[in-house]
Amino acid sequence: MLNNFRDSLKPHLEKIGTVFASTGLSPNFWTAVGLVLAFASAAVYGLNTHISYAAIIGGILLLVSGFFDIVDGQVARITKKVSKKGGFLDSVFDKVAEVAIFLGILVGNFAEPHMVLLAITLSLLVSYSRSRAESLGVKLQGIGIGERAERLLVIAIIGMIPGLMPYAILIVVIIAGITFVQRIVVTAKNISD
């Protein structure tokens, strides 16, 4: 859903890309920075019983990780280094990061294990349905109310409020489930036998 606002944000995103491109560092470097920050967020969530304000620190790290998920693509566009390899790495690292975040939440005992498992399962199914549909020629970017950005924003922002992480996970389950169904419907309508 947030992907639908990219065009209106394009001038601002290009400025961000220009600033980070001026460092001379590759888009893949920024992808790796985002992944490292996601791992840091997951570790903080996982150490909930040992770190005060783990949900707040984990949420902030998750938001910064998401920022670098924007940076890498913008740097690739600005430097004209958009590549299939970079796109593949970005996509795979996004999934690794997402699984790590949910694992941290699970280990940190922020929500019921079965709800965390359901959230990650539906999240991965949302991503898989897009990947599979696009291999059949059906574009699904922007289809659904719970794409990756929305899911991670819910966890980071709502999860930062003390005691609300279980509700953040529940919201992720709901929006990921709806998005999965939306993508199945759209794909089924657009596949020609």
Side-chain angles (χ1 to χ4, degrees):
M1 194 163 81
L2 290 175
N3 276 319
N4 295 329
F5 297 107
R6 277 190 192 240
D7 287 341
S8 60
L9 295 173
K10 193 172 182 179
H12 305 292
L13 295 175
E14 286 175 350
K15 286 178 187 173
I16 291 169
T18 302
V19 169
F20 282 91
S22 69
T23 65
L25 297 167
S26 74
N28 290 340
F29 173 84
W30 299 115
T31 300
V33 168
L35 181 63
V36 168
L37 287 165
F39 282 151
S41 173
V44 170
Y45 282 135
L47 294 170
N48 180 36
T49 55
H50 304 291
I51 297 178
S52 299
Y53 308 109
I56 295 170
I57 298 167
I60 291 168
L61 287 168
L62 181 54
L63 290 172
V64 177
S65 170
F67 171 75
F68 282 103
D69 193 36
I70 294 169
V71 167
D72 61 3
Q74 291 305 314
V75 170
R77 286 179 197 80
I78 295 294
T79 59
K80 297 186 178 12
K81 291 183 179 175
V82 176
S83 67
K84 289 180 182 178
K85 180 180 174 182
F88 173 78
L89 287 176
D90 183 48
S91 180
V92 171
F93 284 6
D94 283 352
K95 299 305 152 278
V96 171
E98 196 168 6
V99 170
I101 295 298
F102 281 111
L103 180 59
I105 290 168
L106 178 67
V107 171
N109 201 28
F110 277 102
E112 291 295 323
H114 66 278
M115 291 303 291
V116 177
L117 179 61
L118 187 56
I120 188 59
T121 300
L122 288 168
S123 294
L124 291 175
L125 285 172
V126 166
S127 298
Y128 176 75
S129 62
R130 176 179 170 185
S131 176
R132 188 68 183 107
E134 290 185 353
S135 75
L136 298 171
V138 179
K139 295 292 180 195
L140 290 181
Q141 183 173 346
I143 301 295
I145 62 169
E147 293 185 284
R148 181 176 180 270
E150 288 85 1
R151 296 190 305 267
L152 294 182
L153 279 173
V154 165
I155 289 170
I157 295 170
I158 295 175
M160 275 196 243
I161 302 168
L164 292 190
M165 185 65 84
Y167 297 100
I169 294 297
L170 176 61
I171 292 168
V172 168
V173 167
I174 293 167
I175 65 175
I178 291 169
T179 301
F180 181 52
V181 171
Q182 287 175 305
R183 289 184 169 185
I184 289 172
V185 170
V186 169
T187 303
K189 284 181 181 177
N190 288 283
I191 292 176
S192 54
D193 288 333

